[in-house]
Amino acid sequence: MKLLSVDDSRTIRRVISGIGSTLGYEVLEAENGHQGLEVLEESSHEIGLILLDWNMPGMDGYEFLTTIKKHPTFKTIPVMMVTTEGEKSYIIKAVQAGAAHYLTKPFSQEDMVARILETMGMGGQGKGA
Amino acid sequence: MTGIRDKSLRSALITGLDASVQDILATMAWTSVSFEGREVVPDLLLSDGVAGLVRMQGDHEGMVAISTDKPVGMELVSRIIGLPADDLNTEDLLDGVGELANMICGGMKAKAGIGGVQLSSPVAIVGREYSALWKTHLKTEILSYALDKRLFRVHACF
């Protein structure tokens, strides 16, 4: 299984890649929703979790989320929002649209690891552990 | 454009900004800074080696910026990414400083508990010699922090 990080900041994509690789997951990257959809078209069968930013130029995280949740194949892939937007209204909107988890930046590595493992159903152990 | 005149809201935002800086540098860059002081200046004028700016729009308007010298900027971004500073290029630094400004401003909003404010995508500047001025009638409050005897500044203009 792979992870997909959709974030316009390559700094954050690298951080997520680093955390993913320590858990034994390859992390695919996209810098906005449009690129994220392209990656899903090619590799959705391999992706076990999408880590999604909210504010991005082009297609933002919310539009991407609502788009994939209407898609017959992509809708089953769990989505974790990873964003600086911490307002309750944003969290409710994301959860109502189908986000499985909501993590606000800044996040500790431990928090990110715990959320990834929980979502991937590993119960405290990474793929490579 | 009107700034934030409500004293308690301004105070909550400045307190939130300070907490956000300490939190983000500790959580994402694994480093601690010491607070060196605050001052109020007439303009938002940036001239350090690197800077990141985020515009606030909506119910409350303004700008939040960070600035520091290039070695500190490189060090912080290198700590966030987990790569040696020598391996970073200008694009890495621009993206990292922009994201740092974005997280600090987002953290300020969350810690101050204000809604109805949208944040722009960050603007990042890296240069040997520049001066950047935001023309506004609003005064700027600068919070200064020391990081290995070098300064990291946060500029709050709202």
Side-chain angles (χ1 to χ4, degrees), chain B residues 99-121:
Chain B
E99 186 56 29
L100 204 47
N102 184 42
M103 287 191 287
I104 285 172
C105 199
M108 173 195 74
K109 247 181 74 175
K111 287 178 190 302
I114 59 162
V117 173
Q118 291 80 48
L119 305 181
S120 73
S121 292

Side-chain angles (χ1 to χ4, degrees), chain A residues 45-105:
Chain A
H45 58 288
E46 298 178 292
I47 295 170
L49 172 65
I50 299 169
L51 300 109
L52 179 63
D53 188 17
W54 194 294
N55 296 313
M56 294 177 285
M59 183 188 283
D60 67 17
Y62 183 71
E63 191 182 350
F64 176 81
L65 177 62
T66 52
T67 302
I68 65 166
K69 288 302 171 188
K70 287 180 201 151
H71 191 281
T73 311
F74 305 160
K75 68 180 180 188
T76 57
I77 304 172
V79 176
M80 184 198 304
M81 300 301 296
V82 183
T83 172
T84 54
E85 295 291 358
E87 277 182 45
K88 260 189 188 167
S89 59
Y90 281 82
I91 298 171
I92 291 167
K93 205 172 159 183
V95 170
Q96 283 176 341
H101 289 282
Y102 201 101
L103 190 60
T104 51
K105 300 175 192 171

Side-chain angles (χ1 to χ4, degrees), chain B residues 6-24:
Chain B
D6 182 316
K7 280 186 181 171
S8 63
L9 180 56
R10 282 190 71 86
S11 171
L13 282 168
I14 294 294
T15 303
L17 190 54
D18 175 47
S20 177
V21 169
Q22 313 255 10
D23 185 22
I24 282 153

Side-chain angles (χ1 to χ4, degrees), chain A:
Chain A
M1 275 290 159
K2 296 177 181 176
L3 311 179
L4 169 62
S5 170
V6 187
D7 198 307
D8 60 328
S9 165
R10 73 170 171 174
T11 302
I12 295 298
R13 296 200 307 271
R14 280 176 165 183
V15 171
I16 290 171
S17 266
I19 293 171
S21 66
T22 60
L23 295 172
Y25 296 114
E26 184 184 339
V27 180
L28 305 177
E29 298 183 18
E31 53 184 68
N32 58 44
H34 292 298
Q35 274 191 16
L37 290 176
E38 286 171 16
V39 175
L40 287 177
E41 291 289 349
E42 284 190 9
S43 312
S44 67
H45 58 288
E46 298 178 292
I47 295 170
L49 172 65
I50 299 169
L51 300 109
L52 179 63
D53 188 17
W54 194 294
N55 296 313
M56 294 177 285
M59 183 188 283
D60 67 17
Y62 183 71
E63 191 182 350
F64 176 81
L65 177 62
T66 52
T67 302
I68 65 166
K69 288 302 171 188
K70 287 180 201 151
H71 191 281
T73 311
F74 305 160
K75 68 180 180 188
T76 57
I77 304 172
V79 176
M80 184 198 304
M81 300 301 296
V82 183
T83 172
T84 54
E85 295 291 358
E87 277 182 45
K88 260 189 188 167
S89 59
Y90 281 82
I91 298 171
I92 291 167
K93 205 172 159 183
V95 170
Q96 283 176 341
H101 289 282
Y102 201 101
L103 190 60
T104 51
K105 300 175 192 171
F107 51 81
S108 67
Q109 278 207 10
E110 292 77 14
D111 275 349
M112 176 63 85
V113 166
R115 300 290 182 94
I116 291 174
L117 293 179
E118 190 184 337
T119 314
M120 300 292 277
M122 305 301 282
Q125 285 199 321
K127 186 187 175 189

